[in-house]
Amino acid sequence: MPRIAIIRKDRCNPQGCGGYLCARVCPVNMEGKDCIVPGPPPDKKPVIAENLCTGCGICPNRCPFDAIDIINLPERLENPIHRYGRNGFHLYSLPTPVFGKVVGIVGRNGIGKSTAIKILSGMLKPNLGSDEDASWDALVEFFKGREAQKYFEALRDGKVKVAYKPQHVELIPETMKGKVEDLLRKVDERKAFDDVVDVLDLRSVLERDISQVSGGELQRIAIAATVLRKANLYVFDEPTSYLDIKQRIRVSRFIKSLADKDTAVLVVEHDLIILDFLTDLLHIMYGKQGAYGVVSLPKATRTGMNTYLEGFIRDENMRFRDHSIRFLRRVERKQRTAEDVTSWSDLNVTLGDFLLKAGSGSVKKGQVVGVLGENGIGKTTFVKLLAGVIKPGEGSVEREVKVAYKPQYLDGKSDELVMNVLGDAVREYDNLLITPLDLKPLLTKHLNTLSGGELQRVAIARCLSEDAQVFLLDEPSAYLDIEQRLAFSRLVRDFVDQREVSVLIVDHDMLFIDYLSDKILVFEGKPAVEGVVTGPFELKDGMNRFLKEVNITMRRDIESNRPRINKTGSQLDREQRSKNEYYAG
Ligand code: ADP
Ligand code: ADP
Ligand code: MG
């Protein structure tokens, strides 16, 4: 069986374990062979010889930093396409761009999606698992007889021109300077500046300096800069982060429209409703985070998505999750008849130029309430009313409650230890928070060294460990991969059941909201001017109301019961609109 040894260099500390503990406990070393040896400077991290390793399992077990993985790979895997050095991450196989189609990639963080995309873009020269970059001819040879052969021939011959939208748009202002308009004009090879600016709703930020725009604006600027280039492969690494639902749909329609007989589009995305809507074909990526990743063969999107939720790829006989993910029908959801945790009368409040109105309503113990609404529409203000932090001008909050709040934007600049940030309270919730959020490996890290997803998990735990009756989580899905979103949903369910509290969740990932909410609170109006709160509604009624405003219809997939966006103008779309049923099923 092919075997790889992975050392996570960010965790490994060969002095901290008393000096190469892995080498000292290795039975092969004890026989006098060099299976695990100190590596070259500067870091001198150990090196494991895969051809000598017997897979005994001792070193990964004994390493105090959990830095070693010895992995027996599925039998049929051949050579990797790329590895990041000896004992580094290995990538097997690649997604295949197809002209005229949008091809999607779904999979966990750290499974090699960005690496695969960089290889196809020609930004990273793969090494086929050796210590040197492979030549173009070797790559073509490697893929001989497969779809990718043609692609690499074209790449070799300079016939592929790639435009690439990177994952981390927040890093753009570090390398790009100047006014938004100037930056976009500079890359406008297609002479499409005005069209693109209008479709992506960027007119109002053109005059601004790139360092002065919000996350959502930066995302749309990055997308604009990509599509303005003349290319035959457009690649988008996580294009919906920071965008609200309306913008996600708008951007998706636009990206879809790029694919034609001479143009291929490739997209990585964790919002499954958007990925389903946007793509024709889907590759699933599985493996072990930070260790290795495998790209599945492409599947038609609907099948691919259901396969992903199932956790089992039949034609490759590969189970990559020990359970399948199910979406419950309305009637299957538990009805909650518990008492109110908070309630309010018709009320309104004015803050500066902003007016917030709410119709009377209540939240019950043990409820998860999904909150739908744009940014700046008054969600935080409303929760402050519930907490009694601000008082309404008219009307009243009948039961004020203690509220804990996780803000949308997280501050990760402090160098405090995660352990201290989380404090004592969180220790009481080992089963409820620490384990499901996988926080143990983070406890001894400093806040300012965490990735976006790590910071998000810490912020969620900190909020939920507070002593409160209502918890408001603003965009908890940001930076979380699809598996973490689903794990988080289960955690919230267990949490409200056990603690008899209520959780309000603001998010723009509709699949996530559908999966997790008992009720829906809808915010309408005009951001920064007026917000109108209605509900909480039953899930279907709330979604229906919201989708009508966003002007899309959704049905449920017959097989998996997951929600899907209908194609505009399709028969189902027209039928549902005529019945005023924007959210079917
Ligand atoms: P994804 O996009 O699926 O989150 P990436 O392709 O960014 O994953 O990374 C996959 C793994 O490859 C990461 O977990 C990391 O361990 C490793 N990796 C990424 N870039 C480098 C690099 N430049 N050098 C060494 N290892 C890397
Ligand atoms: P959301 O949480 O939906 O993003 P907020 O409730 O934070 O929205 O804000 C709604 C609007 O109210 C924003 O335009 C914000 O600028 C304004 N606002 C919030 N608090 C105050 C305040 N204390 N004084 C003046 N305006 C405020
Ligand atoms: Mg990535």
Side-chain angles (χ1 to χ4, degrees), residues 99-100 120-121 151 158-165 187-191 223-236 257-266:
F99 291 116
L120 290 171
S121 309
Y151 181 78
K159 288 184 188 142
V160 179
K161 180 143 187 309
V162 182
Y164 168 74
K165 202 280 306 165
V187 295
D188 185 15
E189 299 163 354
R190 286 174 53 211
K191 300 285 163 253
I223 293 171
T226 308
V227 301
L228 285 172
R229 290 180 191 275
K230 212 179 260 166
N232 47 9
L233 174 63
Y234 290 93
V235 180
F236 299 89
S257 73
L258 293 172
D260 63 26
K261 70 178 196 348
D262 302 315
T263 316
V265 180
L266 210 56

Side-chain angles (χ1 to χ4, degrees), residues 351-354 374-382 474 527-529:
L351 290 176
D353 299 329
F354 182 73
E374 295 166 76
N375 292 331
I377 200 87
K379 299 180 296 281
T380 314
T381 304
F382 183 69
D474 201 345
V529 180

Side-chain angles (χ1 to χ4, degrees), residues 189-238:
E189 299 163 354
R190 286 174 53 211
K191 300 285 163 253
F193 180 87
D194 283 300
D195 286 350
V196 170
V197 162
D198 285 334
V199 179
L200 295 173
D201 201 11
L202 285 170
R203 199 56 74 187
S204 60
V205 296
L206 289 178
E207 289 299 310
R208 252 187 268 162
D209 191 88
I210 188 83
S211 60
Q212 301 295 317
V213 301
S214 72
E217 288 159 350
L218 208 49
Q219 183 69 267
R220 283 176 286 132
I221 292 166
I223 293 171
T226 308
V227 301
L228 285 172
R229 290 180 191 275
K230 212 179 260 166
N232 47 9
L233 174 63
Y234 290 93
V235 180
F236 299 89
D237 200 346
E238 305 198 14

Side-chain angles (χ1 to χ4, degrees), residues 427-454:
R427 267 183 262 285
E428 293 166 32
Y429 300 118
D430 199 46
N431 287 331
L432 270 182
L433 296 177
I434 302 273
T435 305
L437 289 169
D438 197 15
L439 292 172
K440 273 220 184 79
L442 305 182
L443 292 174
T444 53
K445 288 195 177 183
H446 297 271
L447 217 50
N448 57 7
T449 64
L450 300 184
S451 71
E454 291 169 341

Side-chain angles (χ1 to χ4, degrees), residues 14 34-35 55 66 95 113 115 144 155 157 173 196 208 286 296 325 397 428 438 459 470 494 497 529 550:
D34 287 339
C35 183
D66 207 7
K113 300 183 299 301
T115 302
K144 201 158 186 176
L155 198 61
D157 302 341
V196 170
R208 252 187 268 162
Y286 58 89
S296 81
I325 289 155
V397 174
E428 293 166 32
D438 197 15
V470 173
D494 293 344
D497 284 348
V529 180
V550 183

Side-chain angles (χ1 to χ4, degrees), residues 109-110 112-115 167-168 237-238 268 270:
N109 284 337
K113 300 183 299 301
S114 296
T115 302
Q167 175 177 358
H168 296 284
D237 200 346
E238 305 198 14
V268 171
H270 294 294

